[in-house]
Structures are given as structure tokens and as C-alpha cells.
Amino acid sequence: MKINKKELLLTSLVCLLPLLAGVILYPRLPETMATHWGFDGTANGWSSRAATVFGLPLFILALHLICSYAESRDTKRKNVNPVLRTVMLWFCPAVSLLGGALTLGTGLGYEMHVGTVAPVFVGLLFLILGNYLPKLRRNRTMGIKLPWTLQSEENWTRTHRLSGFLWVLCGLVMIPLSLLRLWSGWLFGALLAVMVLIPAVYSYALHRKGI
């Protein structure tokens, strides 16, 4: 399948917007910039100004191009829900914009509330993806791609129906806890376990039953 060149060009340019902003603001930025934060919003990782301004957007752009190429090579691409495909197409540009705003804003001395903004963004993503997972038909690019789901249409459908419910539920838990600043690493790990392990075990159980 051919890549939509206009979509790819637009989303790639959006990925690079933080780089343009970083070049404009370069003289005002410190030599060392925060690029990683803990769950409480405290910076715990730093990079040079050049690596932050140029390296992060270019890395996200490379990841975006790789994902777009992989999606274009899927022979069952037509099975991907168009809304979900749009969400995934704009995921890397959104991450680039959010990451650029947080790193550049912090570098300029503004309080960016990373410990709240980042998990709310992730929670919203879980809500959107969870809403559309049950509508996703079998493919090799997006979804719960286990050997059993790829072999059986019914296994795929049931697994994604459960996954969609769990992802929406976890998003609904994540957003208010983030806004109330009750977020923590162990809670994030617990939600990931619910979102990943339960669907995988459920799918395998269906497979054992011949579904």
C-alpha cells in the first residue's frame, strides 16, 4: 500500500515544529536542559541544549517515519479503523509538540506541571484508543497482536472488546488521579498490567477453548 505523501509530509513537519521553536529560542536556553521527569514531576534527567533542541524532535520524526512505513506495508491495512489510524498517525507529532513545550518551557524557567500534564495526555490517549479498539478488525499493524488473535477472527474480536473496556477504564482512573496529583509509578505499573496482562491471558484462555 502506498503512503499518503501529503499526510506524511504534514505530520512530519509538525514533528519538527519544536526544533524550529528551539532554534529561535536557542540563545535564551541553558546549556543543560531537563529532558526527563519522575512521576512527581521532578526533573531527574538532563541533556545538552543541542541534543534537546535538535536530537529529540529528529528522534521522534525518525520513529514517526518508521511507524508510517510499517503501517503502509500491512497487506490488511484496509482493516484498520480510519479514526484509530488518524490517532496513530498524529501520535508522534502530538508527542513531539508536548515534549517540545515541556522541555523548552522548563528551559526558559516556566513551571510546566509535567507531573500532571504528561499523565493526563496519556490518560486521554487510553480513552481514545480504548473507545476504538473494539471496532478494529484483524490486521498486523495495530491492536493486540498475539498468535491467537491473529489466527482467529473471533479471538481477535473478543480480546479487543475486553481490551477496549479496560483501556477506557484505566484512562478514566488515570486522568482524575493526575489532576489531583495522586499519581505514582506503582499505580502506572498496575494500570499497565491490567491493560496488557488481562487481555493476553483472556486471549490465551479463548485459544485453549478452541476459539
Side-chain angles (χ1 to χ4, degrees):
M1 299 294 290
K2 293 183 179 180
I3 297 176
N4 187 315
K5 294 182 180 180
K6 289 184 179 180
E7 284 184 339
L8 185 61
L9 177 60
L10 177 60
T11 52
S12 297
L13 289 175
V14 173
C15 285
L16 293 177
L17 286 178
L19 190 154
L20 176 61
V23 170
I24 295 173
L25 297 170
Y26 203 83
R28 298 172 54 191
L29 297 172
E31 290 293 334
T32 301
M33 299 178 61
T35 53
H36 189 273
W37 293 264
F39 285 95
D40 61 353
T42 302
N44 56 15
W46 293 265
S47 298
S48 68
R49 176 171 55 179
T52 303
V53 170
F54 298 102
L56 290 180
L58 290 175
F59 173 78
I60 295 175
L61 173 62
L63 181 62
H64 175 58
L65 294 176
I66 292 172
C67 292
S68 297
Y69 176 77
E71 192 266 343
S72 72
R73 301 291 293 177
D74 188 357
T75 57
K76 294 186 177 182
R77 187 186 184 195
K78 61 181 182 297
N79 289 343
V80 177
N81 182 279
V83 176
L84 188 57
R85 180 181 175 275
T86 299
V87 171
M88 298 309 296
L89 180 67
W90 283 93
F91 173 72
C92 283
V95 170
S96 184
L97 290 177
L98 179 63
L102 294 177
T103 53
L104 295 177
T106 302
L108 292 172
Y110 296 107
E111 187 177 0
M112 300 303 294
H113 302 288
V114 179
T116 300
V117 175
V120 166
F121 172 79
V122 175
L124 288 173
L125 182 64
F126 289 164
L127 279 176
I128 296 171
L129 294 179
N131 185 56
Y132 284 97
L133 274 177
K135 305 174 185 177
L136 188 63
R137 296 171 59 193
R138 192 163 40 142
N139 71 95
R140 294 185 177 274
T141 302
M142 301 179 189
I144 313 299
K145 297 176 292 180
L146 299 170
W148 321 293
T149 56
L150 293 175
Q151 290 173 5
S152 168
E153 187 71 43
E154 186 175 357
N155 192 307
W156 174 281
T157 301
R158 291 193 184 186
T159 299
H160 282 74
R161 190 177 299 144
L162 174 64
S163 297
F165 170 77
L166 292 176
W167 282 49
V168 168
L169 179 63
C170 289
L172 290 174
V173 170
M174 193 169 181
I175 293 173
L177 290 181
S178 302
L179 294 173
L180 294 172
R181 300 191 178 184
L182 299 176
W183 194 238
S184 64
W186 71 264
L187 181 57
F188 183 64
L191 291 182
L192 283 181
V194 168
M195 295 167 59
V196 175
L197 294 181
I198 292 180
V201 172
Y202 176 70
S203 178
Y204 180 71
L206 291 177
H207 172 68
R208 295 283 293 177
K209 293 180 180 179
I211 299 175

